[in-house]
Amino acid sequence: LDEESANIKHGEFREAFQTLSAKTYAAVGDTDEAARLSALAAETHRVAVDRENSRILPKIPIIGRLVAAKINDWNKNLVTSMDAAVAEGKAPLPVAAHKVDDLAPDVPTWIKIICSLTMAAGTAAGGWKIIKTLGHKMVKLQPVHGFAAETTAATLLAITGAMGMTVSTTHSITTAIMGVGCAKRFNALKFSLIERIMWAWVLTLPAAGGVAYLLVKTFRLVGWIP
């Protein structure tokens, strides 16, 4: 177990492995080994937090803390899931193993290929139109404005990603460009175009959900998925 955990580079995975190993030894009554592995997991957590703090915290204080909190929260969630399994009369180790496996789900290759091709086709078909709309039609951007908008969107996505929040990159960069336009002057924005964009955002949610629903139903009918 020590050799296996040493080969795991990512701090979160290593901590999860050591925590699960400690729970395993505790379940079979080897309290000494369980305590040793628990101490190793705590040390792994401390090293991961220190690494994130030293790498990110001096630059953007809030992001380092958020990443550190994410690592700590995962370990707490693991323990909570195992305690809940015990309370329900279930074996805690399979529950913990499943939770660890969720960190790196085995996505079928055909799904990766279809998603990649679909995203590439969408970008090829409408990418330039989107660039013209955001960079020329909605507001006239200069390089400094593009830098400000991209930095804002990237910072927002980094923070929300560390918090586990699902945020659209397109929505982030679009609203950042709107903010840049407002900083120039309010009448620099074409509000008729912004209204159309807002309507597109509202309609995208049910439309995407409906298409996904129909695709899943179709795949089940033809027997591609259970």
Side-chain angles (χ1 to χ4, degrees), residues 137-213:
K137 293 182 180 180
M138 186 169 67
V139 61
K140 199 72 172 179
L141 292 180
Q142 300 297 328
V144 65
H145 302 137
F147 173 78
E150 291 285 357
T151 303
T152 301
T155 302
L156 175 64
L157 292 170
I159 294 174
T160 54
M163 297 175 66
M165 300 171 61
T166 304
V167 177
S168 168
T169 55
T170 304
H171 292 187
S172 300
I173 188 62
T174 302
T175 50
I177 292 174
M178 292 179 188
V180 168
C182 291
K184 295 174 66 176
R185 62 183 187 280
F186 278 101
N187 59 3
L189 293 172
K190 292 186 178 179
F191 288 98
S192 60
L193 180 60
I194 292 176
E195 182 181 359
R196 289 167 52 195
I197 292 175
M198 294 294 184
W199 274 112
W201 288 352
V202 171
L203 296 176
T204 295
L205 296 176
V211 171
Y213 175 82

Side-chain angles (χ1 to χ4, degrees), residues 1-2 18-41:
L1 289 175
D2 290 341
Q18 291 169 341
T19 301
L20 182 58
S21 300
K23 296 292 183 181
T24 303
Y25 278 110
V28 298
D30 193 341
T31 56
D32 292 338
E33 192 66 16
R36 188 182 70 83
L37 286 168
S38 295
L40 281 177

Side-chain angles (χ1 to χ4, degrees), residues 92-138:
L93 295 181
V95 174
H98 180 71
K99 193 171 183 64
V100 173
D101 184 62
D102 286 343
L103 288 171
D106 186 16
V107 180
T109 303
W110 69 271
I111 293 180
K112 298 178 183 178
I113 294 175
I114 290 178
C115 289
S116 300
L117 292 176
T118 303
M119 294 179 67
T123 303
W128 179 240
K129 292 181 180 179
I130 295 173
I131 293 173
K132 288 177 64 177
T133 299
L134 296 181
H136 297 280
K137 293 182 180 180
M138 186 169 67

